[in-house]
mmCIF file of all heavy atoms in Angstrom:
data_model
loop_
_atom_site.group_PDB
_atom_site.id
_atom_site.type_symbol
_atom_site.label_atom_id
_atom_site.label_comp_id
_atom_site.label_asym_id
_atom_site.label_seq_id
_atom_site.Cartn_x
_atom_site.Cartn_y
_atom_site.Cartn_z
ATOM 1 N N GLY A 547 -3.238 3.297 8.275
ATOM 2 C CA GLY A 547 -4.595 2.754 8.322
ATOM 3 C C GLY A 547 -4.631 1.429 9.076
ATOM 4 O O GLY A 547 -5.491 1.217 9.938
ATOM 5 N N ASP A 548 -3.680 0.541 8.755
ATOM 6 C CA ASP A 548 -3.675 -0.782 9.394
ATOM 7 C C ASP A 548 -3.296 -0.680 10.872
ATOM 8 O O ASP A 548 -3.886 -1.342 11.720
ATOM 9 C CB ASP A 548 -2.697 -1.724 8.670
ATOM 10 C CG ASP A 548 -3.225 -2.139 7.299
ATOM 11 O OD1 ASP A 548 -4.455 -2.042 7.088
ATOM 12 O OD2 ASP A 548 -2.411 -2.546 6.447
ATOM 13 N N ARG A 549 -2.303 0.162 11.186
ATOM 14 C CA ARG A 549 -1.790 0.227 12.564
ATOM 15 C C ARG A 549 -2.763 0.943 13.505
ATOM 16 O O ARG A 549 -2.959 0.522 14.635
ATOM 17 C CB ARG A 549 -0.423 0.919 12.567
ATOM 18 C CG ARG A 549 0.291 0.919 13.894
ATOM 19 C CD ARG A 549 0.674 -0.513 14.288
ATOM 20 N NE ARG A 549 1.470 -0.559 15.505
ATOM 21 C CZ ARG A 549 0.979 -0.391 16.730
ATOM 22 N NH1 ARG A 549 -0.313 -0.149 16.886
ATOM 23 N NH2 ARG A 549 1.768 -0.438 17.783
ATOM 24 N N LEU A 550 -3.363 2.039 13.036
ATOM 25 C CA LEU A 550 -4.256 2.799 13.920
ATOM 26 C C LEU A 550 -5.672 2.227 13.928
ATOM 27 O O LEU A 550 -6.462 2.508 14.827
ATOM 28 C CB LEU A 550 -4.281 4.284 13.534
ATOM 29 C CG LEU A 550 -2.917 5.001 13.583
ATOM 30 C CD1 LEU A 550 -3.094 6.478 13.253
ATOM 31 C CD2 LEU A 550 -2.234 4.844 14.930
ATOM 32 N N GLY A 551 -5.995 1.455 12.895
ATOM 33 C CA GLY A 551 -7.220 0.657 12.904
ATOM 34 C C GLY A 551 -8.533 1.421 12.947
ATOM 35 O O GLY A 551 -8.641 2.537 12.457
ATOM 36 N N GLN A 552 -9.518 0.788 13.585
ATOM 37 C CA GLN A 552 -10.892 1.295 13.558
ATOM 38 C C GLN A 552 -11.052 2.711 14.122
ATOM 39 O O GLN A 552 -11.778 3.520 13.533
ATOM 40 C CB GLN A 552 -11.822 0.306 14.283
ATOM 41 C CG GLN A 552 -13.289 0.515 13.970
ATOM 42 C CD GLN A 552 -13.599 0.366 12.478
ATOM 43 O OE1 GLN A 552 -13.115 -0.559 11.821
ATOM 44 N NE2 GLN A 552 -14.369 1.285 11.923
ATOM 45 N N PRO A 553 -10.364 3.062 15.241
ATOM 46 C CA PRO A 553 -10.540 4.438 15.741
ATOM 47 C C PRO A 553 -10.155 5.492 14.697
ATOM 48 O O PRO A 553 -10.818 6.536 14.582
ATOM 49 C CB PRO A 553 -9.581 4.506 16.943
ATOM 50 C CG PRO A 553 -9.410 3.093 17.375
ATOM 51 C CD PRO A 553 -9.515 2.259 16.137
ATOM 52 N N PHE A 554 -9.119 5.207 13.916
ATOM 53 C CA PHE A 554 -8.686 6.141 12.866
ATOM 54 C C PHE A 554 -9.721 6.187 11.742
ATOM 55 O O PHE A 554 -10.090 7.267 11.259
ATOM 56 C CB PHE A 554 -7.314 5.714 12.335
ATOM 57 C CG PHE A 554 -6.759 6.623 11.275
ATOM 58 C CD1 PHE A 554 -6.473 7.955 11.562
ATOM 59 C CD2 PHE A 554 -6.512 6.154 9.992
ATOM 60 C CE1 PHE A 554 -5.959 8.800 10.585
ATOM 61 C CE2 PHE A 554 -5.997 6.995 9.018
ATOM 62 C CZ PHE A 554 -5.721 8.318 9.314
ATOM 63 N N VAL A 555 -10.218 5.019 11.339
ATOM 64 C CA VAL A 555 -11.249 4.964 10.291
ATOM 65 C C VAL A 555 -12.488 5.746 10.749
ATOM 66 O O VAL A 555 -13.052 6.526 9.977
ATOM 67 C CB VAL A 555 -11.610 3.494 9.948
ATOM 68 C CG1 VAL A 555 -12.824 3.425 9.034
ATOM 69 C CG2 VAL A 555 -10.421 2.790 9.306
ATOM 70 N N ASP A 556 -12.872 5.582 12.013
ATOM 71 C CA ASP A 556 -14.035 6.313 12.546
ATOM 72 C C ASP A 556 -13.796 7.827 12.494
ATOM 73 O O ASP A 556 -14.715 8.598 12.168
ATOM 74 C CB ASP A 556 -14.316 5.895 13.998
ATOM 75 C CG ASP A 556 -14.777 4.449 14.098
ATOM 76 O OD1 ASP A 556 -15.182 3.883 13.057
ATOM 77 O OD2 ASP A 556 -14.721 3.873 15.195
ATOM 78 N N GLN A 557 -12.575 8.227 12.828
ATOM 79 C CA GLN A 557 -12.205 9.646 12.802
ATOM 80 C C GLN A 557 -12.329 10.204 11.372
ATOM 81 O O GLN A 557 -12.848 11.304 11.165
ATOM 82 C CB GLN A 557 -10.739 9.747 13.264
ATOM 83 C CG GLN A 557 -10.375 10.992 14.010
ATOM 84 C CD GLN A 557 -8.929 10.908 14.538
ATOM 85 O OE1 GLN A 557 -8.339 9.829 14.633
ATOM 86 N NE2 GLN A 557 -8.352 12.042 14.866
ATOM 87 N N VAL A 558 -11.861 9.421 10.395
ATOM 88 C CA VAL A 558 -11.945 9.826 8.990
ATOM 89 C C VAL A 558 -13.416 9.963 8.572
ATOM 90 O O VAL A 558 -13.805 10.935 7.919
ATOM 91 C CB VAL A 558 -11.200 8.824 8.076
ATOM 92 C CG1 VAL A 558 -11.448 9.130 6.600
ATOM 93 C CG2 VAL A 558 -9.699 8.829 8.380
ATOM 94 N N VAL A 559 -14.242 8.987 8.969
ATOM 95 C CA VAL A 559 -15.665 9.013 8.611
ATOM 96 C C VAL A 559 -16.342 10.260 9.191
ATOM 97 O O VAL A 559 -17.134 10.927 8.510
ATOM 98 C CB VAL A 559 -16.380 7.721 9.087
ATOM 99 C CG1 VAL A 559 -17.893 7.833 8.941
ATOM 100 C CG2 VAL A 559 -15.860 6.516 8.298
#
Side-chain angles (χ1 to χ4, degrees):
D548 288 339
R549 186 66 175 76
L550 301 183
Q552 197 60 44
F554 181 63
V555 171
D556 293 343
Q557 212 174 342
V558 172
V559 170

